[in-house]
């Protein structure tokens, strides 16, 4: 809220000025930085805006604001086709279920996202099987099982310390046998810096691919994450070929601006956003509300 | 790819080296580079601004203009200031005169509270204490079981009278846990609470109610080292809400630069007491301000720079 006021203030201040001075531009850049967009991208956006303001001769705060919004939207859209590229591939194909893998660093909201996603799919009349391939975290499988009960999806699990690959394998096998529409595999949180754990994740995916194709690998990023999010995205993408981003915890004050750089570098769109801890708090990503939250109403 | 701070400063300094003395413009140029480095390390913007203003003030003062090597002096100032803010008055846990000592954990969802509860219990046990873990997160699915597993691993009993998953009153559980600790002679009580957002008034009130029910000796704010600019909003919201006495920085085993440490310390004035550095019980340490300063500033490089400057 603070940053919104700040920008509103700056733009209003422009009314009384003949030219946009350096301070005003700095403040616009600062607003972007405060949304975790990062210095480099914030600077790029501000520069592009400056050029356009010059070319268009925009003067009023409303005009400048509209141009900023446009510029941000362009960055967030990143050349994606908003109608198709952010869609999730969860439909059964041939005699096999679609397989969705959910990955990310510790505590970002993977298990919760598995539960919410299952809820959406079940609500649309699909059958969903959840695979508890986090065999490491204390009570992780119990947590997924609670979600399964809550949303009407069965859970495949093994004991603590079991091989996550074998859980994933079993989940997909049961999914095939039971003619399930979608299998969602929850994986343990792991920092991208831990090569052993990253190798293990790659293995989980390869094991699944012995029986089916992995249709989606969703990287769950926490909206509060700062510049480290880029690092996370790079490494996960290398290991498991991420196909979409889920941006969680957008119900707080964090704006999640790091996804702009992530989308651009990976060429992979944000597909879903997490807006709370309840089963219905998952929504498709939409560029406009995302941008409006950054620049304020 | 971003340039590293040392790349940037090297180019600034190479133009300075020939001069021997720093003009105000030189200091401004250096300050700009340091500003970017701090932002890329996720130090929150308002904190960066205060920090840079302070560094500039010192840099313009006598200690720099009279130094043999002014550029080196500026970097030294930055490092000193970082350690100063991060360290401040570090302190140990305060134990109650009449046990049990009550420690309450609070923070955002997924920050690492439950894991930390287990680690803290394990650490205290190793020092001869007899802690009791308290399952007062009755919200998040299977938080109670998670704490029970942590307790089992740590060899520390867990007070978990309610099943959780939406059933039970966390305030009651917290209150009763202190009675239970007195009865069973536990000298420390560690209360795990549900994750909550700074903007969730209802959940913040619940934390306040837990606090008021048990009058903790320490409320520890648990914060993820990967957090970015939002650190200021969240730290301020928890400070204004439930309040806290100390900070624990988690997930320091990753490669996040951890600027949030500086932000939280600067905004709230509360000391950072512990560092959580992994998923295992023993991945836990006292907080070291000098290491953190080096991490935020990419200090390995900076130290070489100081030598070259
Ligand atoms: N406010 C909010 N909380 C969320 C959201 N998504 C998840 N959470 C909470 O964040 C915490 C962590 O969520 P999990 O789903 O357990 O995260 P995870 O990535 O599976 O964690 P690990 O398996 O331990 O790595 C829980 O308290 C969730 O309720 C969201 O969109 N908004
Ligand atoms: N790598 C690493 N992981 C950690 C650390 N501390 C906690 N975790 C992991 O982070 C995830 C979340 O930790 P929790 O202890 O469940 O966090 P919490 O704050 O209790 O979460 P909620 O109760 O859902 O709000 C788990 O996967 C933990 O294993 C740490 O220092 N390093
Ligand atoms: Mg999980
Ligand atoms: Mg917890």
């Amino acid at each position: 809220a603070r940053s919104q006021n700040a920008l509103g203030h700056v733009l209003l201040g422009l009314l009384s000025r003949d030219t946009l001075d350096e301070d005003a531009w700095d403040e616009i850049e600062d607003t972007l930085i405060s949304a975790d967009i990062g210095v480099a991208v914030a600077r790029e956006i501000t520069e592009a805006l400056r050029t356009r303001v010059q070319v268009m001769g925009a003067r009023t705060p409303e005009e400048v604001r509209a141009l900023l919004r446009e510029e941000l939207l362009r960055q967030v859209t990143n050349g994606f086709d908003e109608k198709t590229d952010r869609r999730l591939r969860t439909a059964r194909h041939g005699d096999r279920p679609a397989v969705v893998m959910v990955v990310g660093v510790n505590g970002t909201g993977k298990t919760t996202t598995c539960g919410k996603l299952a809820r959406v799919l079940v609500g649309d009349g699909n059958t969903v099987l959840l695979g508890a391939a986090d065999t490491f975290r204390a009570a992780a499988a119990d947590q997924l099982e609670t979600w399964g009960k809550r949303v009407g999806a069965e859970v495949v699990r093994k004991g603590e310390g079991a091989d996550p690959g074998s859980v994933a394998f079993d989940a997909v096998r049961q999914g095939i046998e039971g003619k399930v529409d979608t299998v969602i595999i929850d994986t343990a949180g792991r920092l991208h810096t831990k090569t052993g754990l990253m190798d293990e994740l790659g293995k989980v995916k390869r094991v699944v691919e012995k029986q089916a194709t992995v249709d989606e690998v969703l990287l769950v990023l926490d909206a509060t994450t700062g510049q480290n999010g880029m690092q996370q995205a790079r490494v996960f993408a290398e290991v498991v070929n991420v196909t979409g981003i889920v941006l969680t915890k957008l119900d707080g004050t964090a704006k999640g601006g790091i996804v702009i750089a992530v989308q651009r570098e990976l060429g992979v769109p944000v597909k879903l956003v997490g807006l709370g801890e309840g089963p219905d708090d998952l929504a498709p990503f939409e560029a406009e509300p995302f941008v409006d939250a950054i620049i304020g109403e | 790819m971003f340039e590293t701070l040392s790349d940037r400063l090297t180019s600034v300094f190479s133009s300075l080296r020939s001069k021997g003395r720093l003009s105000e413009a030189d200091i401004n140029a250096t300050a700009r580079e340091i500003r970017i480095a701090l932002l890329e390390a996720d130090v929150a913007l308002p904190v960066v601004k205060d920090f840079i203003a302070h560094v500039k003030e010192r840099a313009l003062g006598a200690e720099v203009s009279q130094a043999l090597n002014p550029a080196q002096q500026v970097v030294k100032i930055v490092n000193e200031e970082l350690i100063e803010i991060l360290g401040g008055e570090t302190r140990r846990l305060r134990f109650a005169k009449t046990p049990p000592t009550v420690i309450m954990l609070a923070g955002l969802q997924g920050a690492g509270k439950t894991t930390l509860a287990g680690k803290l219990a394990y650490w205290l046990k190793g020092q001869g204490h007899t802690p009791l873990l308290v399952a007062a997160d009755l919200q998040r699915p299977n938080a109670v079981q998670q704490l029970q597993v942590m307790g089992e691993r740590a060899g520390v009993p867990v007070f978990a009278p309610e099943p959780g998953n939406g059933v039970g009153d966390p305030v009651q559980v917290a209150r009763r846990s202190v009675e239970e600790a007195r009865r069973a002679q536990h000298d420390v009580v560690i209360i795990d609470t549900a994750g909550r957002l700074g903007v969730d008034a209802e959940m913040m009130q619940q934390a306040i109610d837990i606090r008021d029910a048990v009058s903790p000796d320490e409320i520890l704010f648990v914060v993820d080292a990967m957090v970015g600019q939002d650190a200021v909003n969240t730290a301020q919201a928890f400070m204004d809400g439930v309040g806290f006495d100390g900070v624990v920085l988690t997930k320091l085993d990753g490669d996040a630069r951890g600027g949030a440490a500086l932000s939280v310390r600067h905004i709230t004035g509360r000391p950072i007491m512990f560092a959580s550095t992994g998923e295992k019980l023993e991945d836990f340490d006292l907080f070291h301000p000098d290491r953190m300063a080096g991490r935020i500033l990419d200090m390995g490089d900076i130290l070489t720079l100081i030598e070259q400057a």
Side-chain angles (χ1 to χ4, degrees):
Chain A
R2 210 162 303 196
S3 58
Q4 297 178 5
N5 290 339
L7 186 63
H9 199 74
V10 176
L11 294 178
L12 271 179
L14 302 181
L15 262 177
S16 52
R17 297 184 208 173
D18 290 338
T19 51
L20 293 173
D21 61 16
E22 283 308 313
D23 284 351
W25 289 114
D26 280 352
E27 280 181 61
I28 290 174
E29 187 179 298
D30 285 356
T31 305
L32 299 174
I33 289 172
S34 299
D36 288 313
I37 282 175
V39 180
V41 178
R43 199 158 276 182
E44 196 186 306
I45 293 172
T46 313
E47 283 310 312
L49 179 65
R50 267 178 108 134
T51 311
R52 289 201 62 196
V53 167
Q54 257 166 19
V55 172
M56 314 267 300
R59 288 288 305 279
T60 69
E62 287 75 23
E63 285 171 337
V64 176
R65 188 181 182 286
L67 287 177
L68 173 60
R69 188 172 185 276
E70 245 175 54
E71 188 52 38
L72 260 171
L73 267 177
R74 204 172 60 79
Q75 295 282 347
V76 173
T77 304
N78 192 38
F80 296 126
D81 180 337
E82 293 293 322
K83 287 217 174 61
T84 57
D85 288 349
R86 299 190 196 272
R87 224 179 265 159
L88 231 49
R89 284 160 303 186
T90 51
R92 213 182 138 71
H93 36 82
D95 52 356
R96 292 198 198 139
V99 179
V100 179
M101 262 179 85
V102 180
V103 305
V105 300
N106 307 83
T108 53
K110 294 174 291 300
T111 306
T112 307
T113 300
C114 289
K116 293 174 184 174
L117 181 57
R119 160 79 149 213
V120 173
L121 296 172
V122 169
D124 286 346
N126 301 290
T127 47
V128 177
L129 192 64
L130 294 165
D134 179 357
T135 57
F136 181 76
R137 227 280 307 274
D142 295 333
Q143 186 189 356
L144 191 68
E145 199 147 34
T146 298
W147 271 105
K149 285 205 189 92
R150 203 180 263 186
V151 303
E154 255 189 77
V155 176
V156 175
R157 63 178 293 183
K158 292 190 178 179
E160 205 180 293
D163 173 35
S166 88
V167 178
F169 187 88
D170 284 4
V172 173
R173 188 173 43 84
Q174 284 193 38
I176 294 171
E177 285 168 2
K179 301 196 172 13
V180 161
D181 294 310
T182 316
V183 176
I184 303 175
I185 296 170
D186 184 26
T187 65
R190 66 198 79 220
L191 292 178
H192 52 287
T193 49
K194 313 226 157 153
T195 31
L197 294 176
M198 292 308 288
D199 289 348
E200 178 199 90
L201 187 65
K203 211 184 109 202
V204 171
K205 181 163 182 259
R206 286 193 297 277
V207 165
V208 171
E209 285 166 343
K210 286 184 181 160
Q211 311 173 82
T213 46
V214 175
D215 300 272
E216 293 278 358
V217 178
L218 299 177
L219 172 68
V220 180
L221 287 178
D222 183 327
T224 62
T225 306
Q227 300 306 299
N228 192 247
M230 191 66 238
Q231 229 46 49
Q232 297 169 24
R234 276 192 195 116
V235 181
F236 274 95
E238 239 169 65
V239 175
V240 285
N241 189 29
V242 171
T243 61
I245 312 289
V246 182
L247 187 60
T248 58
K249 308 185 193 174
L250 265 183
D251 47 326
T253 38
K255 303 287 194 287
I258 189 65
V259 296
I260 294 179
V262 168
Q263 284 194 143
R264 194 198 292 184
E265 176 150 330
L266 265 51
V268 163
V270 182
K271 293 189 170 174
L272 299 167
V273 295
L275 297 166
E277 300 184 74
D280 295 316
D281 296 329
L282 185 75
F285 176 85
E286 288 178 76
E288 297 203 17
F290 178 80
V291 165
D292 288 337
I294 292 174
I295 56 179
E297 294 314 309
Chain B
M1 277 302 281
F2 295 127
E3 280 178 294
T4 66
L5 176 60
S6 59
D7 291 341
R8 288 215 188 80
L9 288 183
T10 303
S11 60
V12 175
F13 288 162
S14 61
S15 63
L16 297 187
R17 207 169 294 149
S18 50
K19 294 187 192 162
R21 288 187 61 111
L22 291 191
S23 68
E24 193 166 346
D26 296 333
I27 288 175
N28 285 339
T30 309
R32 260 198 305 280
E33 298 306 331
I34 292 169
R35 173 180 183 274
I36 295 175
L38 293 174
L39 287 172
E40 282 176 359
D42 288 321
V43 180
L45 191 58
V47 178
V48 172
K49 285 184 173 165
D50 283 358
F51 184 84
I52 295 288
H54 195 71
V55 166
K56 261 189 179 168
E57 199 176 294
R58 265 187 74 183
L60 288 168
E63 55 182 323
V64 173
S65 58
Q66 286 164 16
L68 277 178
N69 189 328
Q72 177 176 335
Q73 197 65 26
V74 173
V75 176
K76 248 183 85 184
I77 290 173
V78 172
N79 191 37
E80 278 171 18
E81 287 290 326
L82 270 178
I83 296 176
E84 169 75 27
I85 296 179
L86 289 170
E89 327 137 39
T90 40
R91 59 173 187 81
R92 302 288 174 96
L93 275 179
R94 281 179 305 225
F95 290 96
K97 291 213 175 65
T98 31
T101 296
V102 177
I103 302 173
M104 173 178 171
L105 307 180
L108 291 180
Q109 288 91 345
K113 296 174 292 300
T114 307
T115 308
L116 179 82
K119 291 177 180 184
L120 200 54
Y122 182 74
W123 183 73
L124 287 168
K125 186 184 157 208
Q127 297 185 352
H129 292 281
T130 51
L132 177 69
L133 283 163
V134 180
D137 177 357
L138 304 177
Q139 188 106 352
R140 141 126 179 220
N142 303 78
V144 173
Q145 278 90 335
Q146 186 189 353
L147 190 69
Q148 279 167 331
V149 174
M150 294 309 291
E152 216 167 276
R153 288 181 191 166
V156 170
V158 179
F159 182 70
E162 297 286 358
N165 290 3
V167 179
D169 175 4
V171 181
Q172 285 299 331
V173 169
R175 195 192 320 263
R176 285 173 54 198
S177 74
V178 179
E179 291 158 21
E180 170 64 15
R182 273 197 204 103
R183 189 193 63 74
Q185 307 218 321
H186 292 285
D187 68 343
V188 185
V189 170
I190 302 168
I191 303 175
D192 182 31
T193 67
R196 65 201 77 224
L197 296 171
V199 287
D200 189 337
E202 198 178 311
M203 284 297 285
M204 194 56 81
Q205 186 57 46
Q206 181 199 75
I208 293 168
D209 293 343
I210 295 175
R211 178 196 72 194
D212 293 348
V214 297
S215 310
D217 299 282
E218 295 276 8
I219 300 177
L220 300 181
F221 175 59
V222 181
V223 62
D224 188 324
M226 293 180 279
V227 166
Q229 297 291 319
D230 190 55
V232 278
N233 294 328
T234 295
Q236 192 65 56
F238 274 82
M239 198 63 200
D240 296 345
V242 65
F244 55 86
D245 308 293
V247 179
V248 182
L249 207 58
T250 63
K251 309 184 198 175
L252 273 169
D253 46 326
D255 60 356
R257 303 278 287 284
L262 189 69
S263 308
V264 173
R265 179 74 174 99
H266 186 82
I267 292 288
T268 69
R270 293 297 182 260
I272 303 169
M273 297 172 68
F274 302 107
S276 196
T277 55
E279 297 192 73
K280 298 201 201 74
L281 281 176
E282 55 276 14
D283 299 333
F284 174 80
D285 201 354
L286 295 174
F287 179 75
H288 299 287
D290 48 339
R291 285 187 213 162
M292 197 64 219
R295 181 174 179 138
I296 292 175
L297 263 194
D298 208 355
M299 212 54 183
D301 294 347
I302 301 293
L303 289 177
T304 5
L305 255 182
I306 293 182
E307 277 150 27
Q308 290 166 356

